[in-house]
Amino acid sequence: MLKVNDKELNFTGSIKELLDYLKLNQSSCAVLVNGEIIKRKDWEKYLLKNDDYVEIVSFVGGG
Amino acid sequence: MFTIGGKTLKSRLFVGTGKLPDYTLISKMYYEAKVEVFTVAVRRIGLNTKHEKSVLEFIPKEAVIMVNTSGATNYKEAIKIAQIGRELTSSDWVKVEIEKDTKYLFPDNYETLKACEILVKEGFKVFPYIYPDLTIAKELEQIGVTAVMPLAAPIGTNKGIGCEVLLKPIIAEVEIPVIIDAGIGRPSHAAQAMELGADAVLINTAIATAKDPLVMALAFSKAVEAGRLAYEIGLLKEYEYAQASSPLDDFIKG
């Protein structure tokens, strides 16, 4: 089980595959795994492991 | 024109994009109210909601993006948000905002100083949002932040310059730019900040929640310009008693 933005998700594969699966706009998001930022260029080769804590973030209006 | 963080800007009005009813207002503010600096925040994506465009797609390419670390409660979280911001925007301007209390949203100057020390070393242009404290402002200047951003009043309160006696020494004593941030609710408050000698103001709620944010941005833009002009030419001193403006002799004897 992965934890993605606090939701449990049964998924195996790379970060890129996870984002495809979630149908996210990849140009505007950043990904952290277990608190570490994973650079975009590494998304394809970075394989997610069981129990990884994934956070997907984007920009919103803010002061 | 003034130079800050390696950019030469015409406008001393910085605008926060939180609470905007419509992100297309951002380019209108850029082109019509001549706002050049916009702040944005980082949040987790809701996985089940329909994905709307990111606010970044609405900011004109020529504008300057300042990433706000709001939501951070300690220096480590702030640093992470700053790094995410640079990764996604390629802008190295970061507003360091760290709060532990949600009632007043007062910045935590201690955590802010720690975050700034690291972010300056990592090459960011650092703009700390601070409680108006001269000691901390000077320490921040020492470690190399780009500007300090003391608050006028708690975020979103529209109360205006609530602590002039604390802001004035900061403006007088630090060499780096001072940007008055938070709590400014009316154009007259912004003009007052500029008359005091602030280098810029950052406005969010007062513009974003106005009936027409673009019109309010225009009003703020004029106020900021007016206050700055008056500061540059020098404000006059106050007198206790009337000083006649018409000559006091050669009156008509009726």
Side-chain angles (χ1 to χ4, degrees):
Chain A
M1 275 292 196
L2 285 180
K3 243 193 181 173
V4 183
N5 287 6
D6 283 342
K7 286 202 170 56
E8 299 220 314
L9 198 68
N10 222 335
F11 180 87
T12 46
S14 68
I15 291 176
K16 172 81 168 66
E17 285 162 340
L18 174 69
L19 297 175
D20 287 341
Y21 170 75
L22 293 170
K23 297 189 176 65
L24 295 175
N25 178 359
Q26 300 184 14
S27 62
S28 65
C29 57
V31 178
L32 292 88
V33 179
N34 304 323
E36 293 297 316
I37 300 164
I38 310 299
K39 289 206 167 16
R40 188 174 301 266
K41 63 177 172 54
D42 298 328
W43 286 358
E44 244 171 282
K45 62 179 185 211
Y46 194 107
L47 294 176
L48 294 163
K49 298 186 299 295
N50 211 13
D51 289 335
D52 271 346
Y53 180 57
V54 182
E55 286 178 288
I56 306 170
V57 299
S58 183
F59 282 97
V60 295
Chain B
M1 298 281 247
F2 78 120
T3 302
I4 182 166
K7 309 263 183 197
T8 301
L9 303 175
K10 290 192 198 81
S11 174
R12 293 173 182 271
L13 170 62
F14 297 2
V15 170
T17 60
K19 304 185 200 163
L20 275 176
D22 174 2
Y23 289 153
T24 62
L25 285 159
I26 296 171
S27 65
K28 289 180 185 149
M29 287 194 268
Y30 176 80
Y31 289 107
E32 293 176 43
K34 310 295 177 199
V35 176
E36 293 162 288
V37 178
F38 295 95
T39 63
V40 296
V42 174
R43 288 293 179 273
R44 287 178 181 180
I45 290 177
L47 299 182
N48 298 325
T49 51
K50 191 177 169 296
H51 295 294
E52 291 168 10
K53 286 182 171 177
S54 149
V55 64
L56 296 182
E57 295 173 48
F58 294 87
I59 301 179
K61 288 198 168 37
E62 307 80 5
V64 181
I65 296 170
M66 186 191 279
V67 175
N68 182 353
T69 69
S70 73
T73 57
N74 59 52
Y75 78 98
K76 285 185 181 161
E77 289 170 2
I79 288 165
K80 202 159 284 177
I81 295 169
Q83 289 166 338
I84 292 168
R86 188 156 64 177
E87 161 97 0
L88 276 180
T89 65
S90 68
S91 167
D92 55 5
W93 282 36
V94 59
K95 167 176 167 178
V96 177
E97 177 176 333
I98 304 176
E99 289 133 357
K100 288 191 171 124
D101 118 88
T102 52
K103 188 172 180 185
Y104 299 103
L105 291 173
F106 282 142
D108 183 325
N109 280 358
Y110 175 68
E111 292 286 331
T112 301
L113 181 63
K114 285 204 283 188
C116 290
E117 277 177 326
I118 295 166
L119 290 170
V120 167
K121 283 186 192 140
E122 289 189 10
F124 285 90
K125 302 286 189 310
V126 185
F127 296 75
Y129 168 58
I130 58 167
Y131 204 81
D133 175 321
L134 177 60
T135 311
I136 210 91
K138 282 183 136 173
E139 279 187 58
L140 286 162
E141 181 175 43
Q142 283 278 320
I143 64 167
V145 301
T146 300
V148 286
M149 303 211 292
L151 60 85
I155 293 172
T157 58
N158 298 325
K159 285 177 181 287
I161 313 284
C163 44
E164 195 175 302
V165 290
L166 300 180
L167 291 171
K168 273 180 160 174
I170 297 176
I171 292 168
E173 301 299 331
V174 304
E175 304 277 320
I176 52 174
V178 177
I179 301 165
I180 308 293
D181 183 6
I184 290 180
R186 300 176 182 192
S188 57
H189 300 154
Q192 185 191 350
M194 300 310 294
E195 285 175 4
L196 288 176
D199 294 90
V201 292
L202 173 51
I203 315 287
N204 189 343
T205 302
I207 289 176
T209 63
K211 203 161 100 189
D212 186 332
L214 176 60
V215 172
M216 194 56 102
L218 286 164
F220 267 99
S221 173
K222 288 173 195 286
V224 166
E225 217 172 300
R228 180 67 194 181
L229 278 174
Y231 168 76
E232 283 175 2
I233 205 69
L235 293 170
L236 303 178
K237 71 172 197 173
E238 293 179 7
Y239 297 93
E240 199 56 36
Y241 302 108
Q243 310 286 315
S245 23
S246 311
L248 281 178
D249 47 16
D250 297 327
F251 291 126
I252 294 172
K253 302 236 165 30

